[in-house]
Amino acid sequence: MSGHNVWTHKGTFLLAAVGSAVGLGNLWRFPYLIGENGGGAFILVYALTIFAVGIPILIAETMLGRTSRRSPIMGMRHLTRTHRTFRFWESIGWLGAAAAFLILSFYSVIAGWAIHYTWLMFTGSLLEADARTISEGFTALLASPALMTLYHTLFIGCSGIIVGMGIHKGIESGLRIMMPALFGILLVVLVYSVINGDIAAAARFLFTFNVADLSVEGWLQAMGQSFFTLSLGMGAIMAYGAYMTSETSLTRTAIAVAFIDTAVAMVAGLAIFALVFGAGLDINQGPGLMFVTLPLAFADMPMGALIGGIFFILVLGAAISSAISLIEPVAAYLVERFDMTRPQAVAVMVVAAWAMGLLTVISFNIWAEGTIFHALFGRSAFELIELLTNVFMPLGGLMIALFAGWALTQTEVRKELDTSTAWFATWRFLVRFVSPAAVAFVFLRALPGIEG
Ligand code: PHE
Ligand code: NA
């Protein structure tokens, strides 16, 4: 395809993929999942799946993008035709687009909470507040559809503007400013937590493990988290891969992305737990860990308002750089398929995901417990959407692994990966047997849980 967009530099794909990977998954979800699942044991399972499943599929998904040089939906159509294989595989593109749409819808709402907390921190509203005040504040935020919708709109609007400006002027330039700043902030927060928190207790919690602590549920969550955190199975990585220069090494880049993403999650986990332990608080807070427990820890610490505010800026930046990677695959498709201009295509995706996000907004208030929705589905709309994405992502990942491992012609894949025979053989073995088996195993175990 002539004139297809390509990133400006060899390293831009790494920057973009790290921007996509590092997000709420690292800063918000990973720490509270560890808190709920007994610390080190969870991390062990998580690390294993990153290696055996995450990295091989990350390589495969990037490869599909780069060899097709199209948006995921059009790219999968192209590949199934040129490789003369079943049209069934085209559903990888559609599944990805659907997952991206659903994730963006709730991701934006949760990122919106971080806008609220950035504001509360910098204005010093939470200084010296006690546990009760802070947790009532969070409850009040969740009880207000208007406030949540406002933040949700702001967040998704900003993300849309960046993508609307194009992959060079918008995405690349945005990431080039944002990502170094984010790493700087993360470092500041880490140093702060070492000085003011209990880093030894945090390290003990994260790095000692007792496998008995880990339930089957914990295994499932670890595997789901490894997909979510690497942005796998929903076309984000495939779309970015389509712009990757041909000289960039696929394997090396994928390993770097997984490594950086894991390092950020660990550092964030260490810092957050150090602050929370240092303040003598309870870690088993679920999703409220970042929005209730952490502000409480900051409330009593020197310069807590300032560092707390900076921390929530970090959360916001990381979330925006991930949100843009959810908009890109669908926007690129609309441009390719319907000849829309980029701003039009972005507007379609953003407005649709925004409207869908209202379901998440009202899940916490108007449609909380006790409504017809709960009666029908046994959970809130938000929980249902999250559950769907938890199915779509591994399913997409499984199909990507099978497609890359079994359906594509080996010589083509070999050329694209351009790596030593031993590495190629290892990757191929993982992607053909190990990753599919692992995902299938998790699915089978998860099925009963999905019903109830
Ligand atoms: N990887 C992101 C995170 O950890 C979430 C995400 C998933 C982003 C899928 C894009 C695509 O927060
Ligand atoms: Na992540």
Side-chain angles (χ1 to χ4, degrees):
M1 217 176 154
S2 66
H4 190 90
N5 281 323
V6 174
W7 298 119
T8 317
H9 297 286
K10 247 174 94 170
T12 313
F13 173 80
L14 179 63
L15 179 75
V18 167
S20 172
V22 171
L24 296 175
N26 309 55
L27 305 173
W28 168 68
R29 212 171 184 224
F30 184 68
Y32 88 71
L33 286 179
I34 302 175
E36 285 183 336
N37 290 291
F42 179 84
I43 296 188
L44 186 70
V45 174
Y46 165 84
L48 279 177
T49 49
I50 290 280
F51 271 98
V53 185
I55 292 178
I57 294 181
L58 183 57
I59 294 173
E61 187 170 341
T62 315
M63 187 258 298
L64 295 183
R66 187 166 76 176
T67 146
S68 73
R69 291 249 176 258
R70 285 164 172 81
S71 71
I73 293 174
M74 302 299 270
M76 286 309 302
R77 179 172 304 171
H78 175 73
L79 290 177
T80 50
R81 294 205 177 139
T82 48
H83 288 258
R84 292 165 199 271
T85 161
F86 303 115
R87 293 206 46 191
F88 163 75
W89 298 113
E90 287 185 28
S91 53
I92 291 177
W94 289 106
L95 201 64
F101 169 73
L102 291 176
I103 292 181
L104 180 62
S105 79
F106 74 77
Y107 205 78
S108 168
V109 174
I110 293 173
W113 299 348
I115 302 182
H116 185 70
Y117 278 86
T118 310
W119 172 254
L120 289 185
M121 283 291 172
F122 280 132
T123 55
S125 319
L126 298 182
L127 281 184
E128 286 160 37
D130 58 12
R132 189 115 168 252
T133 321
I134 291 186
S135 99
E136 280 172 4
F138 186 53
T139 313
L141 171 65
L142 296 187
S144 167
L147 208 51
M148 281 218 284
T149 304
L150 171 72
Y151 294 132
H152 165 50
T153 311
L154 278 174
F155 179 84
I156 210 166
C158 288
S159 315
I161 289 172
I162 296 176
V163 185
M165 286 163 67
I167 70 161
H168 299 298
K169 285 217 183 78
I171 300 180
E172 261 196 73
S173 323
L175 290 173
R176 216 166 271 141
I177 302 167
M178 259 189 299
M179 297 314 288
L182 295 186
F183 285 104
I185 296 180
L186 187 61
L187 219 60
V188 170
V189 173
L190 178 66
V191 170
Y192 179 86
S193 74
V194 170
I195 298 172
N196 294 291
D198 188 347
I199 196 86
R204 231 177 296 124
F205 178 61
L206 293 186
F207 302 122
T208 51
F209 54 83
N210 177 1
V211 179
D213 287 345
L214 201 60
S215 56
V216 174
E217 176 71 9
W219 276 77
L220 299 179
Q221 286 186 326
M223 161 97 52
Q225 172 65 6
S226 67
F227 276 92
F228 188 78
T229 196
L230 293 180
S231 303
L232 292 180
M234 82 267 315
I237 291 298
M238 216 188 285
Y240 279 175
Y243 309 138
M244 188 190 212
T245 55
S246 310
E247 309 89 74
T248 314
S249 159
L250 268 173
T251 24
R252 238 179 292 148
T253 310
I255 292 172
V257 172
F259 183 80
I260 296 171
D261 183 75
T262 302
V264 170
M266 294 294 187
V267 169
L270 270 177
I272 291 175
F273 284 118
L275 293 171
V276 169
F277 283 134
L281 299 172
D282 176 21
I283 52 159
N284 202 352
Q285 281 299 316
L289 180 67
M290 175 184 283
F291 297 106
V292 177
T293 317
L294 194 61
L296 188 55
F298 278 123
D300 277 333
M301 288 184 184
M303 292 196 305
L306 177 68
I307 304 292
I310 291 181
F311 174 81
F312 279 103
I313 296 269
L314 166 70
V315 175
L316 271 177
I320 285 209
S321 60
S322 296
I324 58 182
S325 76
L326 289 165
I327 300 174
E328 179 59 27
V330 178
Y333 165 71
L334 295 174
V335 170
E336 277 170 23
R337 177 71 178 73
F338 300 105
D339 253 340
M340 289 189 193
T341 65
R342 178 167 268 272
Q344 281 168 346
V346 170
V348 170
M349 170 66 166
V350 163
V351 170
W354 176 85
M356 187 75 189
L358 296 180
L359 277 183
T360 293
V361 168
I362 61 173
S363 291
F364 293 96
N365 34 71
I366 304 170
W367 274 15
E369 308 286 297
T371 60
I372 180 108
F373 199 92
H374 278 262
L376 283 176
F377 297 100
R379 63 193 89 236
S380 72
F382 165 61
E383 285 163 340
L384 184 69
I385 295 171
E386 224 199 350
L387 179 74
L388 274 181
T389 60
N390 276 341
V391 175
F392 285 5
M393 275 188 295
L395 192 62
L398 171 68
M399 286 168 60
I400 286 170
L402 293 175
F403 182 69
W406 298 93
L408 287 185
T409 355
Q410 159 140 358
T411 43
E412 288 281 315
V413 178
R414 191 68 244 253
K415 212 169 65 204
E416 202 58 58
L417 285 194
D418 190 27
T419 179
S420 73
T421 317
W423 270 115
F424 182 72
T426 311
W427 172 78
R428 200 167 160 81
F429 178 73
L430 289 172
V431 108
R432 292 187 118 189
F433 301 103
V434 178
S435 319
V439 180
F441 170 75
V442 169
F443 261 125
L444 292 181
R445 300 302 302 252
L447 281 181
I450 285 171
E451 276 139 33

